[in-house]
Amino acid sequence: MTLQVGVIGLGVMGAEHLRLLREETAGAAVVAICDADAARARTLAAGADVFDDPFALIASDRVEAVVIASPDATHAGLALACLAAGKPALCEKPLALTAGEALQIVNAEAGVGRRLLQVGYMRRFDPAYCDMKRSTEDGLIGPPVLLHNTHRNAGAPDWFTGAMAITNSFVHEIDISRWLLGSEPVSAMVHAAPGRDPLLITLETERGELISTEVFMNACYGYHVHAQIVGRSGTVEMAQPAVMLTNSAMQHGHRYSENWVPRFRDAYRRQMGAWVRSVSTGVPVGASAWDGYVATTIAEQIVAALGGCGKVSLTLAPRPDFYR
Amino acid sequence: MTLQVGVIGLGVMGAEHLRLLREETAGAAVVAICDADAARARTLAAGADVFDDPFALIASDRVEAVVIASPDATHAGLALACLAAGKPALCEKPLALTAGEALQIVNAEAGVGRRLLQVGYMRRFDPAYCDMKRSTEDGLIGPPVLLHNTHRNAGAPDWFTGAMAITNSFVHEIDISRWLLGSEPVSAMVHAAPGRDPLLITLETERGELISTEVFMNACYGYHVHAQIVGRSGTVEMAQPAVMLTNSAMQHGHRYSENWVPRFRDAYRRQMGAWVRSVSTGVPVGASAWDGYVATTIAEQIVAALGGCGKVSLTLAPRPDFYR
Amino acid sequence: MTLQVGVIGLGVMGAEHLRLLREETAGAAVVAICDADAARARTLAAGADVFDDPFALIASDRVEAVVIASPDATHAGLALACLAAGKPALCEKPLALTAGEALQIVNAEAGVGRRLLQVGYMRRFDPAYCDMKRSTEDGLIGPPVLLHNTHRNAGAPDWFTGAMAITNSFVHEIDISRWLLGSEPVSAMVHAAPGRDPLLITLETERGELISTEVFMNACYGYHVHAQIVGRSGTVEMAQPAVMLTNSAMQHGHRYSENWVPRFRDAYRRQMGAWVRSVSTGVPVGASAWDGYVATTIAEQIVAALGGCGKVSLTLAPRPDFYR
Amino acid sequence: MTLQVGVIGLGVMGAEHLRLLREETAGAAVVAICDADAARARTLAAGADVFDDPFALIASDRVEAVVIASPDATHAGLALACLAAGKPALCEKPLALTAGEALQIVNAEAGVGRRLLQVGYMRRFDPAYCDMKRSTEDGLIGPPVLLHNTHRNAGAPDWFTGAMAITNSFVHEIDISRWLLGSEPVSAMVHAAPGRDPLLITLETERGELISTEVFMNACYGYHVHAQIVGRSGTVEMAQPAVMLTNSAMQHGHRYSENWVPRFRDAYRRQMGAWVRSVSTGVPVGASAWDGYVATTIAEQIVAALGGCGKVSLTLAPRPDFYR
């Protein structure tokens, strides 16, 4: 009854996944870990097998399911290996660096004929997003017409270019907007402030809904994600991310977190629990390989159009029946 | 020391201006009123002279200054008459129905050589907008890069077309955005939801700031205006418009007002007080005729481009030195 | 039609009253002023007569109504002089230093047979308190059972003793609680933190409602007044006192004011406008001399009981029919 | 490494504990369950042994640790049985119906010489309370001087008497206040509204802090718990319990939950995880048997004094060194 999990990659996210599996997830045991830094892996082993080679970990008989949290460039290859081995995997976003690779994975999974991959778009498990989706589906705000997203990072390293703001950050809004609205973007338009930060990206969906997203990599004041769905008869939006308010030094308010880990800690935890249960029950949850492909290809198409000044039409490969 | 004011138009806004002059404004007396409905005018007279003809009111020796609150189509003619008579006027927005008329007024005022007209863009006197502007100018949030506006009406009559959403409602955002940022819009792009309501309008300014505005004429849930300025190191935004919170029937929260009158009551009051003082001191405040022209011409250019799908370049007539 | 007002006392509150009369109040003109600092008075004259002697100001033929904003110890004598002269007065709180003096004024006014005095308990004109009272009377929360008050000053001078926390600060809650609930306190109990600051004061009313008030003279973080009425089916309370929210330096929130003047600026303005109209119409508004007596005598009885550790019964003089 | 747990009582709380153990807790397996309703127990078994007799469950060799969630009257007996068997137990509050019984348990545990019991005062694991305690201990608000608690239930059954408001509801505030402040109450004073609901209870602690609590069993509008710690230089308080805000039908705000289960779901989950880890590591967490005794005896002493009108001195049995 206990799922035997191998974890590949023990950086910030990988270590957090390891902790979640060990301390906050029912029905799972970490039996194998792997990291480029072998010493780090040994330190975190706590009885798990330590692998140098992630493909060996995937192949290990003890490993029933895999968490892929190694560098982005390795995701596609490892996901394909899991498919080949017939082992379920939770793969950190992005699924692949290019839409071509992502589509290859999609086709491979369709070939296997079983949903084995879940992509780690954890926001789908965030209580606020979940409440917003449920309330919208329950008709609380009427048919959605607009979605306002704000995605602000306190700061980004110098090598974080305008393109990465889209492929690394905005992909979250691509995924969560599709999930919230249940419809596909068909056009994109990017406005950029001086220095290409922030960006203001407007998507139109197949149903005519508008999705407006501010992506600000150096917002400076803190990590802050917000979303509001506007419907024909009302709106739902995230409350400020705080359980405690302070009065101090002439100020009332609360502190932001410095990055996404504390803000989405609960989403990561719930994602892990849902994945483990999903592997047991065979009922897929969360973002599929197809969803991973869509996020990556839309981001890629928007990046290709950066610097132009008009609207870009977005196209998707045909969706395999397998994902309907 | 008491300014003798004549009020033209006694509809919703005119009657409110009348009340403000009589009950909440220092240094003013209403000596003349005029309305198309003469009986209504007599009812509200309270000792003021009642005129059938607004031009006669303007010409009256007793009248030192004029409030123009009659239907939009009459604004330009009455404003020109005030200029001809050399009498200061507070003219409800819009200054004129067309940019051509508005420019004619601008030139007429420049010809008089004295600032006589104030256009009733009352949001410039709203405490929240004022705090946001002051804090931004004080450097609290660093250089502004983005301005998010939301302009939602509970509902609009059937004859309120998509064009009017721009010429009648969005003009407020044109004016307040220019005032908040102190820079001029140079391009516009409109995205429309099905039925052309809501609209999502993106302006770029001469300094590269982005202005994103949702204009929703039938938001249904209430009248709601919001704005947030995003700077390089922080943001300022309006708090929810409520002084009282309620717990009742499983809900925590507050009520919206049904239209702009209660929401901006304080702004209207402060505008009136500032106008009366400004007439006394000769120091102009609020939106000038030039500002009135700019709002009208930008709205006109955006309307002309509705239905296209690209970015529109915005142009302004040369600004007379008089307004610098 | 313009009320000719004399202002006695030009300290912080007196100067604010002067400004309100001149800049933000319809139907009033300041014709006379008086301050212990004659030079200061001359600086602020702006055409008004300057008096050395406040009683001479009251007696002046030009003065139709008086604002009393001189030091607390002078209030009673000046209020009696206004009554003797038959002139309406807006008297800053407290009406008198002792309940005995306050009762003498009550009796004098009853003798005159006309309501001439309004005591400056300005909270009765604060939009938040007004909304709370109106909503409660409209039945929004059912019958009130509890009132929670918080009264925090950023800091108090050293000579501000525990007794003054009651006679100077808590008197505001005595008055506003009576006004909000429409019933009289019949017992009081004081709990004190070390150093007698903060105090926690519990009143019971004749109808059994409980009034719990924290009075904190050195709350340090800012000036903060809050109130919540708890009814049998819901609650109403003040929203945070802010029209603008800020994101900056990892923090979301707003700033408090340093003292009561900015917090209650609007209440002071509305009080002044209401008083001027009230003098014209002859219909009294705001706190009467009787209300001023009640606040003072209850404060006095609570101070007398400080240091005891039980409940104190509160008693009032018989209310003259005149005030019913 | 997996803790084998038996669950006694499968009512609302017991079923939730069962779910938490199975779905959201790492390192535990439910091997035995017991309920007065045997059919219900069989329905929920999912492979666990089903016991008719809770003492047999405790005695079972398969059971390493016990969750006690049966009716309040049974807690003491079952807790003693767990002590006798040397098995760790998480016992729902209250630990016992009387202070005498609770003290007997305390002495029994001290006799065993090992901390085996944790009492289910789950608020100690609520993120908001935890943040407030941590921030206070970090010095954010200076030394605490006051704690304001609000404890409102939407409604209570008729048989829920004034005494139960204290022994069943207010015990939570007794425990959490001691935990937040780290000091012991030494006196209590109760004010009651008509019908003895709500109550306003004031405690003084050994260090002179004041604890003011509104306990309202029929607040009608929803389940609502709030707390604010006031320190010498600032305050910390709970934010409104909402992750989503709604605009709908003229209202802005959020919904309350109907009872404590959704409000404290996260606290219950974290409590369970912490208890399971604590059993493994041997390091006790949460409320001890001593804490359970203190909450019960203080509640008992306050109930005994109900109807009196003065301050009650609170006394505790000597604390066994074992609990220091």
Side-chain angles (χ1 to χ4, degrees):
Chain A
M1 275 180 40
T2 298
L3 184 71
Q4 306 202 115
V5 181
V7 177
I8 301 173
L10 300 169
V12 174
M13 282 319 309
E16 175 68 2
H17 288 313
L18 188 67
R19 188 190 70 76
L20 289 170
L21 282 163
R22 285 178 169 159
E23 297 180 16
E24 308 212 45
T25 306
V30 178
V31 297
I33 61 176
C34 174
D35 192 76
D37 178 345
R40 174 169 175 78
R42 279 191 300 274
T43 308
L44 295 168
D49 295 341
V50 175
F51 287 82
D52 288 337
D53 175 4
F55 296 95
L57 178 149
I58 293 169
S60 163
D61 283 350
R62 291 190 67 195
V63 171
E64 296 172 336
V66 180
V67 172
I68 302 172
S70 46
D72 294 1
T74 67
H75 291 184
L78 295 169
L80 286 170
C82 288
L83 290 176
K87 295 192 178 175
L90 172 64
C91 178
E92 262 299 323
K93 47 78 45 179
L95 176 59
L97 288 187
T98 67
E101 282 179 311
L103 198 55
Q104 191 184 342
I105 296 170
V106 160
N107 290 330
E109 187 176 48
V112 171
R114 227 170 8 120
R115 287 276 303 276
L116 289 171
L117 298 178
Q118 180 176 337
V119 185
Y121 284 111
M122 79 293 181
R123 291 189 186 183
R124 295 184 181 213
F125 297 91
D126 176 65
Y129 279 120
C130 291
D131 275 12
M132 290 168 64
K133 181 174 170 66
R134 189 181 317 115
S135 297
T136 301
E137 291 174 353
D138 287 352
L140 183 65
I141 62 168
V145 287
L146 252 175
L147 169 56
H148 292 285
N149 296 307
T150 307
H151 187 152
R152 297 178 186 148
N153 282 17
D158 286 347
W159 48 263
F160 209 98
T161 66
M164 292 183 74
I166 292 169
T167 57
N168 198 292
S169 293
F170 182 60
V171 283
H172 277 294
E173 269 76 25
I174 297 173
D175 184 69
I176 204 71
S177 299
R178 294 176 61 239
W179 181 75
L180 285 171
L181 299 175
S183 66
E184 296 294 350
V186 294
S187 84
M189 167 94 191
V190 181
H191 287 87
R196 282 204 175 163
D197 188 36
L199 303 174
L200 191 59
I201 305 174
T202 311
L203 305 179
E204 293 170 307
T205 75
E206 54 192 348
R207 283 207 296 263
E209 295 130 342
L210 304 175
I211 302 166
S212 170
T213 306
E214 176 198 328
V215 183
F216 197 175
M217 303 313 301
N218 295 283
C220 196
Y221 72 78
Y223 179 78
H224 188 192
V225 163
H226 185 259
Q228 182 184 49
I229 308 178
V230 182
R232 289 255 170 243
S233 66
T235 77
V236 286
E237 73 189 286
M238 284 182 190
Q240 282 293 116
V243 294
M244 184 184 80
L245 302 175
T246 303
N247 288 318
S248 177
M250 305 304 292
Q251 298 268 358
H252 174 83
H254 69 82
R255 286 188 71 78
Y256 286 102
S257 55
E258 290 177 30
N259 59 50
W260 65 93
V261 182
R263 168 62 186 85
F264 286 108
R265 192 176 303 279
D266 210 37
Y268 282 114
R269 180 184 63 77
R270 291 159 47 117
Q271 172 182 261
M272 187 60 81
W275 175 67
V276 167
R277 280 193 298 278
S278 148
V279 170
S280 306
T281 62
V283 181
V285 296
S288 68
W290 173 256
D291 296 318
Y293 156 73
V294 175
T296 295
T297 187
I298 289 180
E300 201 170 73
Q301 293 174 58
I302 293 175
V303 167
L306 266 183
C309 70
K311 226 184 258 190
V312 183
S313 289
L314 303 172
T315 58
L316 299 181
R319 189 200 298 222
D321 286 342
F322 177 64
Y323 291 102
R324 288 175 201 279
Chain B
M1 278 182 39
T2 299
L3 184 71
Q4 308 203 113
V5 180
V7 177
I8 300 173
L10 300 169
V12 173
M13 282 318 310
E16 175 68 1
H17 288 313
L18 189 67
R19 189 190 68 77
L20 288 170
L21 282 164
R22 284 176 171 159
E23 296 180 16
E24 307 213 45
T25 306
V30 177
V31 297
I33 61 177
C34 173
D35 192 76
D37 179 345
R40 175 170 173 78
R42 278 191 301 273
T43 307
L44 295 168
D49 295 340
V50 175
F51 286 84
D52 289 336
D53 175 4
F55 295 96
L57 179 149
I58 293 170
S60 163
D61 282 352
R62 289 191 68 195
V63 171
E64 294 172 339
V66 179
V67 171
I68 302 172
S70 45
D72 293 3
T74 67
H75 291 183
L78 295 169
L80 286 170
C82 289
L83 290 176
K87 294 190 179 175
L90 173 63
C91 179
E92 261 300 321
K93 47 79 44 184
L95 176 59
L97 288 187
T98 67
E101 281 179 313
L103 198 55
Q104 191 184 341
I105 296 169
V106 159
N107 290 330
E109 188 176 51
V112 169
R114 226 165 14 116
R115 288 277 302 276
L116 290 172
L117 298 177
Q118 180 177 337
V119 184
Y121 283 110
M122 79 292 181
R123 292 189 184 182
R124 295 185 179 210
F125 298 90
D126 177 66
Y129 279 120
C130 290
D131 276 11
M132 290 168 64
K133 182 174 169 66
R134 189 180 317 115
S135 297
T136 301
E137 290 174 354
D138 287 353
L140 183 65
I141 62 168
V145 287
L146 252 175
L147 169 57
H148 292 287
N149 296 307
T150 307
H151 186 154
R152 297 178 186 149
N153 281 17
D158 286 346
W159 47 262
F160 208 98
T161 67
M164 290 183 75
I166 292 169
T167 57
N168 198 292
S169 293
F170 181 60
V171 283
H172 277 295
E173 270 76 23
I174 297 174
D175 184 70
I176 203 71
S177 298
R178 296 175 61 238
W179 181 74
L180 285 171
L181 298 175
S183 66
E184 296 293 350
V186 294
S187 84
M189 168 93 191
V190 181
H191 286 86
R196 281 206 177 161
D197 187 37
L199 303 173
L200 191 58
I201 305 173
T202 311
L203 305 178
E204 295 171 306
T205 74
E206 56 192 346
R207 282 206 297 261
E209 296 128 342
L210 304 175
I211 302 166
S212 170
T213 305
E214 175 198 330
V215 182
F216 197 174
M217 302 313 301
N218 295 283
C220 198
Y221 72 79
Y223 179 78
H224 188 190
V225 163
H226 185 259
Q228 182 184 50
I229 308 177
V230 182
R232 289 255 169 243
S233 65
T235 77
V236 287
E237 72 188 288
M238 285 182 191
Q240 282 293 116
V243 296
M244 184 182 82
L245 302 174
T246 303
N247 287 318
S248 177
M250 305 304 292
Q251 298 267 357
H252 174 83
H254 69 82
R255 286 187 71 77
Y256 286 102
S257 55
E258 291 177 29
N259 59 51
W260 65 95
V261 182
R263 168 60 185 87
F264 286 109
R265 194 177 300 283
D266 211 36
Y268 282 115
R269 180 184 62 77
R270 290 160 46 119
Q271 173 183 260
M272 187 59 82
W275 175 66
V276 167
R277 281 193 298 279
S278 146
V279 170
S280 305
T281 61
V283 181
V285 297
S288 68
W290 173 256
D291 296 317
Y293 156 73
V294 174
T296 296
T297 189
I298 290 179
E300 201 171 73
Q301 293 174 56
I302 293 173
V303 168
L306 268 184
C309 70
K311 220 185 263 190
V312 183
S313 288
L314 302 171
T315 58
L316 299 180
R319 187 200 300 223
D321 286 342
F322 178 62
Y323 291 102
R324 287 178 200 279
Chain C
M1 276 182 41
T2 299
L3 184 70
Q4 306 204 115
V5 180
V7 178
I8 300 172
L10 300 168
V12 172
M13 283 318 309
E16 177 67 2
H17 287 313
L18 188 67
R19 188 189 71 74
L20 288 170
L21 282 165
R22 284 176 170 158
E23 297 181 15
E24 308 213 45
T25 306
V30 177
V31 297
I33 62 176
C34 173
D35 192 75
D37 178 345
R40 175 169 174 78
R42 278 190 301 272
T43 307
L44 294 169
D49 295 341
V50 176
F51 287 82
D52 287 336
D53 175 4
F55 295 96
L57 179 148
I58 292 170
S60 163
D61 283 350
R62 290 191 66 194
V63 171
E64 295 173 336
V66 179
V67 171
I68 302 172
S70 44
D72 293 2
T74 67
H75 291 183
L78 295 168
L80 287 170
C82 289
L83 290 176
K87 294 190 179 177
L90 173 63
C91 179
E92 263 298 324
K93 47 75 51 179
L95 175 60
L97 288 189
T98 67
E101 281 179 312
L103 198 55
Q104 189 183 345
I105 295 169
V106 160
N107 291 329
E109 187 176 49
V112 169
R114 229 171 5 121
R115 286 277 303 275
L116 290 172
L117 298 179
Q118 180 177 337
V119 183
Y121 283 110
M122 77 294 180
R123 292 189 184 182
R124 295 185 180 210
F125 297 90
D126 177 67
Y129 279 119
C130 290
D131 275 12
M132 291 168 64
K133 181 174 170 65
R134 190 181 315 114
S135 297
T136 301
E137 290 174 354
D138 288 353
L140 182 64
I141 61 170
V145 286
L146 250 175
L147 168 58
H148 292 287
N149 298 306
T150 309
H151 186 153
R152 296 178 185 149
N153 282 15
D158 286 346
W159 47 263
F160 209 97
T161 67
M164 290 183 75
I166 292 169
T167 56
N168 197 291
S169 293
F170 181 59
V171 281
H172 277 296
E173 270 76 25
I174 298 174
D175 184 70
I176 203 71
S177 299
R178 295 175 62 237
W179 181 75
L180 286 171
L181 299 175
S183 67
E184 297 293 350
V186 295
S187 83
M189 168 92 189
V190 181
H191 287 86
R196 283 205 175 162
D197 188 36
L199 303 174
L200 190 59
I201 305 172
T202 310
L203 304 179
E204 293 171 306
T205 74
E206 54 192 348
R207 283 207 295 262
E209 296 129 341
L210 303 175
I211 302 167
S212 170
T213 306
E214 175 198 330
V215 182
F216 196 175
M217 302 314 301
N218 295 282
C220 198
Y221 71 79
Y223 179 78
H224 188 192
V225 163
H226 184 260
Q228 182 183 47
I229 307 177
V230 182
R232 289 253 171 244
S233 66
T235 77
V236 287
E237 73 189 287
M238 284 182 190
Q240 282 292 116
V243 294
M244 184 183 83
L245 301 175
T246 302
N247 287 319
S248 177
M250 305 305 292
Q251 297 268 358
H252 173 83
H254 69 81
R255 285 187 71 77
Y256 286 102
S257 55
E258 291 177 30
N259 59 50
W260 65 95
V261 182
R263 168 62 186 86
F264 286 109
R265 192 177 301 282
D266 212 36
Y268 282 115
R269 179 185 63 77
R270 290 159 48 118
Q271 172 182 260
M272 187 60 81
W275 176 66
V276 167
R277 279 193 299 280
S278 148
V279 170
S280 304
T281 61
V283 180
V285 297
S288 68
W290 173 256
D291 296 317
Y293 157 73
V294 174
T296 296
T297 188
I298 290 180
E300 200 170 75
Q301 293 174 57
I302 293 174
V303 168
L306 268 183
C309 70
K311 223 186 261 191
V312 182
S313 289
L314 302 172
T315 57
L316 299 181
R319 189 201 297 224
D321 286 343
F322 177 64
Y323 291 102
R324 288 178 199 278
Chain D
M1 275 183 43
T2 298
L3 184 70
Q4 307 203 116
V5 180
V7 177
I8 301 173
L10 300 169
V12 174
M13 283 317 310
E16 175 69 2
H17 288 312
L18 189 67
R19 190 190 69 76
L20 289 171
L21 281 164
R22 284 176 170 160
E23 298 181 15
E24 308 212 45
T25 306
V30 177
V31 297
I33 62 177
C34 175
D35 192 76
D37 177 346
R40 175 170 174 79
R42 279 192 299 274
T43 308
L44 295 169
D49 295 340
V50 175
F51 287 83
D52 287 336
D53 174 3
F55 294 95
L57 180 148
I58 293 170
S60 163
D61 283 352
R62 291 190 67 195
V63 171
E64 295 173 338
V66 180
V67 172
I68 303 171
S70 45
D72 293 2
T74 66
H75 292 183
L78 295 167
L80 286 170
C82 289
L83 290 176
K87 295 192 179 176
L90 173 63
C91 178
E92 262 298 324
K93 45 78 49 181
L95 177 58
L97 288 187
T98 66
E101 283 179 311
L103 197 56
Q104 190 184 343
I105 296 169
V106 159
N107 291 330
E109 187 175 50
V112 171
R114 227 168 10 118
R115 286 277 302 275
L116 290 172
L117 298 177
Q118 179 177 338
V119 184
Y121 283 110
M122 78 293 182
R123 293 190 184 181
R124 294 185 181 211
F125 297 90
D126 176 67
Y129 279 120
C130 290
D131 275 12
M132 288 168 64
K133 182 174 168 67
R134 189 181 316 114
S135 297
T136 301
E137 289 173 355
D138 288 353
L140 182 65
I141 61 168
V145 287
L146 251 175
L147 169 57
H148 293 286
N149 297 306
T150 308
H151 186 154
R152 294 177 187 151
N153 281 18
D158 285 348
W159 45 264
F160 209 97
T161 65
M164 291 183 73
I166 291 169
T167 56
N168 198 293
S169 294
F170 182 60
V171 281
H172 277 296
E173 270 75 25
I174 297 174
D175 184 69
I176 204 70
S177 299
R178 293 177 62 239
W179 181 74
L180 286 170
L181 298 174
S183 66
E184 297 293 351
V186 295
S187 84
M189 168 93 191
V190 181
H191 287 86
R196 280 208 178 159
D197 187 36
L199 302 174
L200 189 61
I201 305 173
T202 310
L203 304 178
E204 294 170 307
T205 75
E206 56 192 346
R207 282 206 296 262
E209 296 129 341
L210 304 175
I211 302 167
S212 170
T213 305
E214 176 197 329
V215 182
F216 196 175
M217 302 314 300
N218 294 283
C220 197
Y221 71 79
Y223 179 77
H224 188 193
V225 163
H226 185 259
Q228 182 183 50
I229 309 177
V230 182
R232 290 253 170 244
S233 65
T235 77
V236 287
E237 72 189 289
M238 286 184 188
Q240 283 292 118
V243 295
M244 184 183 81
L245 302 175
T246 303
N247 286 318
S248 178
M250 305 305 292
Q251 296 270 357
H252 173 83
H254 69 83
R255 285 188 71 76
Y256 285 102
S257 54
E258 290 176 30
N259 58 52
W260 64 96
V261 183
R263 167 61 186 86
F264 285 109
R265 193 176 302 282
D266 212 37
Y268 282 114
R269 181 185 61 77
R270 291 159 47 118
Q271 174 182 260
M272 187 60 81
W275 176 65
V276 168
R277 280 193 298 280
S278 146
V279 171
S280 306
T281 61
V283 180
V285 297
S288 69
W290 173 255
D291 297 317
Y293 156 73
V294 174
T296 296
T297 188
I298 290 180
E300 201 170 74
Q301 292 174 58
I302 294 175
V303 168
L306 268 183
C309 70
K311 223 185 260 190
V312 183
S313 290
L314 303 171
T315 58
L316 300 180
R319 187 199 300 225
D321 286 343
F322 177 63
Y323 291 102
R324 287 177 200 278

